[in-house]
Amino acid sequence: MFKEFAKGLSITLKHLLPGNSTTVAYPKQKLEMSPRFRGLHRLVPTQHREKCVACYLCPTVCPAKCITVVSAENDKGEKYPEVYTIDMLRCIFCGYCVEACPVEAIEMTSAYELANFKREDFDFTKERLLRS
Amino acid sequence: MTPEVLTLSETPWLFTAAMLIKVIVAFVVTLLIVAYATYAERKIIGRMQTRLGPTMTGPMGLLQPIADGLKLFFKEDIIPSQAHWFAFIIAPIMILAPAFLSIVVIPFGADFQFTYDGTLYAVPLQITDLNIGVLFILAMAGLGVYGIVLAGLASNSKYSLLGGIRSTAQMISYELAAGLSIVAIFMLSETLSMRGIVAAQQGPLWGLESLSFLPNWFIFSQPLAFLLFIVGSMAEINRTPFDLPEAETELVSGFCTEYSAMKYALFFMAEYANMITVSAIAATLFFGGWAGPFYGWINFLLKVFAFMFFFIWIRATFPRLRYDQLMFLGWKVMLPAALVNIVITGIAILLW
Amino acid sequence: MAVNNTETMTINMGPQHPSTHGVLQLILELDGEIVVKATPHIGFLHRGIEKLSEHRTYHQTIPLTDRLDYLAPMSNNLGYVLAVEKLLGMTDEIPERVQRIRVIMAELTRLKSHLVWLACHALDIGAMTVFLYCFRERENITDIYEKVSGARMTSNYFRVGGLSADLPDGLEQEIRTFAESMPAHIEEYEGLLTGNRIWQKRTIGVGKISAEAAIDIGITGPALRASGVDWDLRRDNPYSGYEDYDFEVPVREGCDTFDRYKVRLDEMRQASRIILQALDKLKPGPILADCPKIVLPNKQDVVNNIESLIHHFKIVTEGFKPEPGEIYQSVEAPKGELGFYLISDGSSHPFRMKIRPPSFVNLQGLPQMVEGRLLADVIAVIGTLDIVLGEIDR
Ligand code: SF4
Ligand code: SF4
């Protein structure tokens, strides 16, 4: 009986020695996210506009139905999204929108600190998504 | 020249001054240890669990206990509407006061001598040397139970009630075993005064010159009593593995479920104050009190810290017992063992 | 006249309680500390996943399954994906590499789930250090999850017909190192618990359930195997190529909490064995079945090839339409038999999806296991049943 008690105590004592800590001092020190990490979305820009052609594939595939796209045509006759909004409160970060996009116009970044104060702050509009 | 002991009738001013200083020093030091015991516990357990413990408040988180205290001090103090308010308020005080009071009879150093007006005076480094010191400690430990029971009953919450009931049963049964284990000590020392007990532990082991490398500490003559005392007092102060009254995962927070703010902090302080008291008693009764290689009170503090480390270490390692197993251990294992120990000690004393 | 004044006390444990593992509510009738009656109340985490799936395509339902047993997302993914593949009749077309990777991930998931179980179980009984040691290892698995799928918990990695992506470079070695290190860690947990008298006292003989009672209720998984019933779907009804691996199914006869603990620990050892074997057998190959009407084509083809582009649009907008019919597919999830019952009416949405969650069925054993025992045993039994409310309430 005492042998087992001593064994348990020795295990905890061994961990007391320096060098066993696995803590990451979070706000000061951040973990590197993997390249595949599914964080905040980003609309990919080209030279003068967003790459998105407003094909409606991502709002269709989105299981949370949180993407709003309204398409329009610019003077060159190209389709572009007049409105492109993702409601981050509904998004489940499944990554289907990225998978569905035929022109790779949307991707996911490694930003995960998305806390905010107001509901409206979670409506990520096209401008915000292009910037992120 | 033999020093004169300060008394109230002979040297009233000196006595009062010395007394005040002793009380203030002992109280402040105990409070400081209480505050930093929480810090030490969080750091040590954190390290044992591959964490860091507090790091953010002050250098290495050293100000954490103060920040915690401040936070709790400024929090809203809630008294549940259905609670019995008087008992609810008095309970945390009733548990903290006895915890601090026990420190009174513990000697923390050899006599301090000084000359005043050409006379050599000696001040015992002990707040007061009651001739029934051990009994006083047991009485204070007994009083502490009332605080918990009251807290449990007054909160008018079922979890608190269960916690209160658990602690009553637990404390009563373990006080018995712990108390009886001490009986063997004063059979050897032939005094109930803590000072006397420390004095009885001076010199080489069992008075034998051949064993002079070992001190005559009672741990060597009474290992069983020591074991019983440590286990019993761990149970009495509700430390893991005997923390049933506040078993987080079973009773939410046991008897202090409904408490908040400073009242909750008082319970918390009482737990650590009790830990200090128990460590101090164990050091005095079994490890020769302030005797040792260094200056008196340093030895004493070192011993106390060693015990506290041990308690923390146990907490990091062991699971919790169950209520019936706790009772079983208390009544059917420890109590008989303590009684047997007394009988054996008695026979040994007779034969020696 | 003697008046019998004893009364029972009803105490409401949960849904907010530190050790009901989420939002389980237990109404306990106590006589002192002895439980006279225990009634579990569930439904606090109900999100209607079964109903939601009726309005999602088969493809869109996969992320919902992540959220069933959120401690073992890949097992749920696997169960669902296998069910849909069976419904489509394409079970035989799954490439070998896919099957191997699925097994590796499923076994990692088993480790992940069991680690959380051990952590919480030990914490409930008061051994808090084990909790953090387990989470240290679990963190490694979460990292692996993140590297393969991009999410640390809601993996959404498996797809109907394959995987969403291949293993990234260097990950095989990482998984291997981890699986090799696992037995030593298990020794460490055992060193803190198995021999400890207090742990033994708290677990041996607690929460007994006989083999007959367990079968009657429908208990599966480690809880069933600890009652002496040798039943493991991975061996007895193999899927995803489990028949290729050499592993033991730990079975014990004690029917109590301690034996369930031992069975799960042994399962963790076996899981690392399976992972290592699967890694040895892993060969390069395609990660999607060759079914252009079901699996999404790769992005390069979509841009360059009009046929792929059409498939891509069709699959994304409409999904695929299985023949009308119904199937049942179950997998040995960490907590027991996880089954998916799918009915197709020929449209791209499931007509009905019924999930058989192991936790839900296992929870039924709880009243029987705790009644007549002490309050502290309730906590031990909740821990040993290893329930996850996300799965119970769905
Ligand atoms: S990640 Fe998923 S839920 Fe979020 S916007 Fe994209 S498709 Fe919708
Ligand atoms: S799928 Fe791509 S191109 Fe189409 S609307 Fe979405 S982001 Fe734009």
Side-chain angles (χ1 to χ4, degrees), chain A residues 34 36 38 61 63 99-100, chain C residues 60 146 148 150 154 159 166 312:
Chain A
S34 80
R36 286 187 190 171
R38 305 202 301 256
V61 80
E99 220 164 84
Chain C
Q60 285 175 330
E146 185 195 316
V148 299
T154 48
R159 294 285 183 275
D166 205 345
H312 184 88

Side-chain angles (χ1 to χ4, degrees), chain B residues 19-49:
Chain B
M19 208 54 167
L20 266 180
I21 292 173
K22 277 192 295 188
V23 169
I24 290 171
V25 167
F27 185 66
V28 169
V29 168
T30 318
L31 262 187
L32 269 181
I33 301 179
V34 166
Y36 279 90
T38 61
Y39 173 78
E41 176 164 78
R42 289 165 70 173
K43 271 284 184 199
I44 293 172
I45 293 191
R47 287 285 176 180
M48 283 178 170
Q49 298 177 339

Side-chain angles (χ1 to χ4, degrees), chain B:
Chain B
M1 186 166 66
T2 45
E4 219 168 301
V5 178
L6 291 175
T7 55
L8 188 57
S9 48
E10 303 271 319
T11 45
W13 290 112
L14 271 181
F15 179 80
T16 320
M19 208 54 167
L20 266 180
I21 292 173
K22 277 192 295 188
V23 169
I24 290 171
V25 167
F27 185 66
V28 169
V29 168
T30 318
L31 262 187
L32 269 181
I33 301 179
V34 166
Y36 279 90
T38 61
Y39 173 78
E41 176 164 78
R42 289 165 70 173
K43 271 284 184 199
I44 293 172
I45 293 191
R47 287 285 176 180
M48 283 178 170
Q49 298 177 339
T50 73
R51 294 183 287 122
L52 291 178
T55 53
M56 295 305 228
T57 335
M60 301 191 340
L62 269 172
L63 296 180
Q64 190 65 44
I66 296 164
D68 284 345
L70 274 180
K71 184 197 98 173
L72 284 168
F73 194 75
F74 286 114
K75 282 200 117 177
E76 187 189 353
D77 191 5
I78 299 168
I79 299 178
S81 59
Q82 298 295 307
H84 189 293
W85 67 271
F86 182 69
F88 191 79
I89 292 173
I90 202 91
I93 305 168
M94 278 197 61
I95 180 169
L96 186 64
F100 275 110
L101 275 182
S102 314
I103 309 272
V104 163
V105 293
I106 291 166
F108 42 84
D111 286 0
F112 176 70
Q113 302 190 342
F114 68 103
T115 340
Y116 178 77
D117 235 2
T119 332
L120 185 66
Y121 291 105
V123 188
L125 285 186
Q126 179 183 17
I127 293 177
T128 179
D129 180 26
L130 284 182
N131 51 3
I132 49 152
V134 179
L135 277 189
F136 179 78
I137 286 174
L138 290 180
M140 284 304 128
L143 266 184
V145 191
Y146 288 101
I148 296 189
V149 176
L150 268 186
L153 286 176
S155 310
N156 196 13
S157 147
K158 286 170 181 172
Y159 284 114
S160 304
L161 180 66
L162 280 176
I165 294 173
R166 277 185 176 189
S167 74
T168 329
Q170 172 176 343
M171 288 199 160
I172 289 172
S173 16
Y174 278 81
E175 225 176 279
L176 221 58
L180 282 177
S181 69
I182 305 183
V183 170
I185 295 294
F186 47 77
M187 283 168 78
L188 288 182
S189 69
E190 295 175 8
T191 169
L192 282 178
S193 137
M194 297 297 264
R195 226 169 117 76
I197 291 175
V198 174
Q201 295 183 60
Q202 311 297 344
L205 189 56
W206 300 318
L208 300 175
E209 282 311 318
S210 51
L211 288 173
S212 63
F213 57 94
L214 284 175
N216 189 18
W217 292 351
F218 286 144
I219 168 96
F220 300 115
S221 13
Q222 290 289 353
L224 182 60
F226 174 66
L227 198 74
L228 292 173
F229 177 76
I230 282 296
V231 175
S233 38
M234 254 193 302
E236 235 186 291
I237 60 175
N238 299 331
R239 293 285 300 179
T240 321
F242 305 102
D243 58 343
L244 295 148
E246 44 189 324
E248 234 163 74
T249 47
E250 293 161 27
L251 299 183
V252 191
S253 207
F255 57 87
C256 45
T257 308
E258 302 294 333
Y259 280 87
S260 58
M262 209 51 208
K263 291 210 214 54
Y264 181 77
L266 290 186
F267 280 116
F268 215 69
M269 280 162 69
E271 184 182 333
Y272 288 89
N274 270 324
M275 199 158 103
I276 297 170
T277 315
V278 164
S279 309
I281 298 169
T284 314
L285 294 184
F286 293 95
F287 282 84
W290 39 264
F294 306 108
Y295 188 68
W297 55 271
I298 300 182
N299 292 325
F300 183 70
L301 278 186
L302 281 181
K303 284 172 196 170
V304 170
F305 290 156
F307 271 110
M308 289 174 67
F309 175 76
F310 179 71
F311 287 143
I312 293 173
W313 187 13
I314 292 273
R315 177 162 181 210
T317 312
F318 289 150
R320 181 184 304 121
L321 275 167
R322 203 172 62 198
Y323 187 55
D324 59 327
Q325 290 157 356
L326 184 89
M327 289 293 129
F328 182 90
L329 185 68
W331 291 98
K332 297 199 179 154
V333 180
M334 289 183 50
L335 190 63
L339 289 172
V340 167
N341 190 37
I342 292 174
V343 172
I344 293 174
T345 314
I347 294 173
I349 289 175
L350 272 184
L351 294 182
W352 221 273

Side-chain angles (χ1 to χ4, degrees), chain A residues 43 52-59 69 84 97 100-103 105-106:
Chain A
L43 280 178
C52 172
V53 293
C55 71
Y56 286 98
L57 275 194
C58 55
V69 181
Y84 192 104
C97 44
C101 181
V103 292
I106 187 163

